[in-house]
Amino acid sequence: MPSVIPEGSDLNSRKEINSYVFNKNGYITEEKCIIRDQFDSKKKKYYNTLNQISKVETYDSEDKLKVDENFEYEYDNNGEMNKIVYASSPKVYRNELVKKGNTKTFTQFEFNDEKVEVKSFERIENENGKVIEDNYYIRNELYSKTLQSYDKKDFCQKKHILNIGMEKKPLT
């Protein structure tokens, strides 16, 4: 696992060990983190019959379930994720993915007691499948735009990011 070690620091100062348990299909079902020889955290992952992740449970350093960090996924008939439910929250998230030609739009609807929050991500690709434009909308207003251009070998030459909504409102 790659690490970034600041100059002059000890490679083993954190002494973090991560271990993984896989199911018969090769998917991670459990991740454990040991720091300085002490159990730090654990995640359990569950999958549906199509090998799509369906549930994630997070445990703290005392191996107790962290109720605020657990969620479940639901999928539509096409296998696209269309709903994420957080166990400890009244919020329900529904996601929609729409593909039209070279444009893919991913919209996330967050439902809670007070309101519906809508966030959209629009990605436009060139004929080779390279992303040339990413747009991020909050409440149907453009928040940021990223433009990319490529050379003849499809290497990214230029990336330009515009944070349009930064002056108007904070990112939620």
Side-chain angles (χ1 to χ4, degrees):
M1 189 172 281
S3 299
V4 176
I5 310 299
E7 188 175 325
S9 67
D10 180 11
L11 174 64
N12 295 318
S13 62
R14 184 165 162 88
K15 293 185 181 179
E16 179 175 318
I17 299 170
N18 294 300
S19 63
Y20 303 92
V21 176
F22 297 86
N23 66 15
K24 65 181 180 180
N25 296 320
Y27 295 98
I28 296 174
T29 58
E30 189 172 283
E31 300 175 22
K32 284 186 183 177
C33 180
I34 309 287
I35 299 177
R36 294 185 192 94
D37 299 324
Q38 298 290 318
F39 175 75
D40 182 67
S41 61
K42 174 173 66 176
K43 281 188 181 182
K44 287 187 174 182
K45 297 181 178 186
Y46 301 89
Y47 300 86
N48 63 21
T49 56
L50 299 174
N51 291 316
Q52 297 165 314
I53 194 154
S54 60
K55 184 177 181 179
V56 176
E57 296 175 339
T58 304
Y59 296 82
D60 65 15
S61 60
E62 296 176 1
D63 207 17
K64 292 181 182 173
L65 187 65
K66 294 172 81 174
V67 288
D68 59 336
E69 294 184 30
N70 297 292
F71 45 94
E72 295 182 21
Y73 298 102
E74 291 181 15
Y75 300 87
D76 64 17
N77 292 337
N78 297 321
E80 299 286 348
M81 184 190 336
N82 65 4
K83 188 173 174 183
I84 303 172
V85 179
Y86 289 82
S88 66
S89 171
K91 296 179 183 177
V92 174
Y93 296 88
R94 189 182 86 233
N95 300 308
E96 293 178 356
L97 179 66
V98 177
K99 299 175 187 176
K100 290 183 181 176
N102 290 346
T103 303
K104 297 177 186 171
T105 304
F106 177 80
T107 305
Q108 180 182 66
F109 299 90
E110 178 182 319
F111 302 92
N112 58 35
D113 293 338
E114 296 88 38
K115 62 180 178 178
V116 175
E117 182 72 30
V118 179
K119 298 176 185 176
S120 298
F121 306 88
E122 181 181 64
R123 173 165 282 176
I124 301 170
E125 299 173 347
N126 66 15
E127 59 279 350
N128 296 329
K130 297 286 186 176
V131 177
I132 57 174
E133 186 175 325
D134 268 325
N135 297 308
Y136 176 40
Y137 298 88
I138 298 177
R139 292 177 222 100
N140 296 321
E141 289 186 40
L142 184 62
Y143 188 81
S144 70
K145 178 185 282 280
T146 303
L147 302 170
Q148 297 179 141
S149 60
Y150 299 87
D151 64 14
K152 292 179 182 179
K153 294 183 180 180
D154 267 342
F155 291 114
C156 187
Q157 289 295 103
K158 194 178 216 183
K159 188 171 191 174
H160 186 69
I161 301 171
L162 304 166
N163 290 316
I164 297 160
M166 296 297 278
E167 299 83 34
K168 294 181 188 176
K169 56 190 169 287
L171 182 61
T172 57

